[in-house]
Amino acid sequence: MLTFEEARGKVIKQVGKKRGPRATAVVSVWEALGLVLEQAVKTDREYPPFDRSTRDGYAVRSNEAVPGEQVKCVGEIKAGDTVREALAAGTCLQIMTGAAVPAGADAVVMIEHTTREGELVRFERGAQPGQNIVPKGSEAASAQTILTPGMRLGYAELALAAQVGALRLQCAQRPRVAILSTGDEVVLIDETPGPFQIRNSNSVSLAAQVRIAGGEPVVLGNAADRIEDLGEKIERGLKEDALVLSGGVSMGKYDLVESVLKAMGAEFFFDAVAIRPGKPAVFGMCQGKPVFGLPGNPVSTMVTFELFVAPAIDLLNGAEARALPLVEARLAEALKEKPGLTHFLPARVEWRGRVPEVKALRWQGSGDIAALAKANCFLVVPEDRESIEIGESVSVLLRKDVV
Ligand code: AMP
Ligand code: MG
């Protein structure tokens, strides 16, 4: 059986082969958060566009700012002021953060290191050439490429685009990810379940996870555990860029997803992974589209989505597959698990001290959504560890929607 890293590797390899030209759209900088850029963005001028003061203080010739000596202040420069005249020898100018440093001046002395008596400024410290000045063009040259195709647009990237006036950006369209749950016991969330039925909560968690991963969810509802109904709805799902199914991949008599997919021509790259929850997870390509059969227990569905589907959505967006958000933490309470599978336990990590501390939460197994709603991470118990002592270092997979 594959480890989760190996299974992830298979997804990345197979979906990676599908990278190529994809649908794009021109999107306003206000609307592009989380999208993947499909163009290069260049600067419209040098940055900074002038020698910029990074402090409130006095623009000086550095050799004239002698500790204990006084220099005459002949004016002030505010941020945004047009600066044409050079600083005359033997004088200084009061200057504000973000203002242009005049020619002739080669340093800014912080106001905190001066005392003012009328027109005269006394310096408490000497000045180094260049101090508190960001030189023109030192952040970027003119017409320099600052954003490249494949970059994900976060708040800093969007600010950079705005800074250079690139207000409309060519971006990859979010891949459309069909979501299909299965199970005779599953009813739509706005229906009232009978005593032995359950609401389709997986359609809601999967839609949220697709969105967070950068895809556009297309919720197709629920298929009964019957070959014909499954076949029809899978056919519909394969019209989208990827298909994610929940349920119907275990060993039960009515777990038909894999056989229906196979009959439709799917090639499978795994149909089991050495993890708990989530062991029966299936990944294949069917009619050119990546298809994921995730086990239906809600926590299994959530974990296997993060491990296997999220990197596929990155690749379908034209970006690199992001690494799993794994961090090291100190175990706050000893634990025991059956060896042989890598466990992902709902847990809470807290950043109180120098080292993050993590504690597994009590839970009733992979149907226990309430436990996961209290968790902010999964504690990863390696397959070869039967018990882990308090204080040991463990890996945690962060829930990136809440941390
Ligand atoms: P399965 O993977 O089909 O064997 O389902 C495993 C468990 O998950 C069963 O207890 C199902 O009732 C439950 N389950 C399956 N699909 C869903 C769903 N869409 N929403 C919530 N729970 C589900
Ligand atoms: Mg089922």
Side-chain angles (χ1 to χ4, degrees), residues 181-182 185-186 198-203 222 246-250 255 294-298:
S181 67
T182 71
E185 76 282 30
V186 177
I198 53 164
R199 292 191 183 90
N200 190 352
S201 63
N202 284 350
S203 62
N222 186 67
S246 86
V249 290
S250 305
D255 289 327
L294 309 182
N297 258 317

Side-chain angles (χ1 to χ4, degrees), residues 43-70:
T43 52
D44 57 332
R45 53 179 177 164
E46 289 175 278
Y47 284 90
F50 49 83
D51 294 332
R52 182 178 62 209
S53 175
T54 63
R55 292 284 186 269
D56 296 317
Y58 293 93
V60 297
R61 291 166 193 271
S62 54
N63 61 354
E64 292 178 358
V66 178
E69 304 258 308
Q70 289 183 319

Side-chain angles (χ1 to χ4, degrees), residues 72-92:
K72 189 177 175 192
C73 179
V74 294
E76 66 171 34
I77 310 171
K78 303 194 295 295
D81 281 355
T82 302
V83 176
R84 288 208 188 83
E85 275 166 45
L87 180 70
T91 70
C92 66

Side-chain angles (χ1 to χ4, degrees), residues 204-215 301-303 305-306 310 313:
V204 174
S205 57
L206 285 171
Q209 288 179 288
V210 165
R211 242 181 243 290
I212 291 167
T301 313
M302 295 173 196
V303 169
F305 183 97
E306 290 305 303
I313 294 176

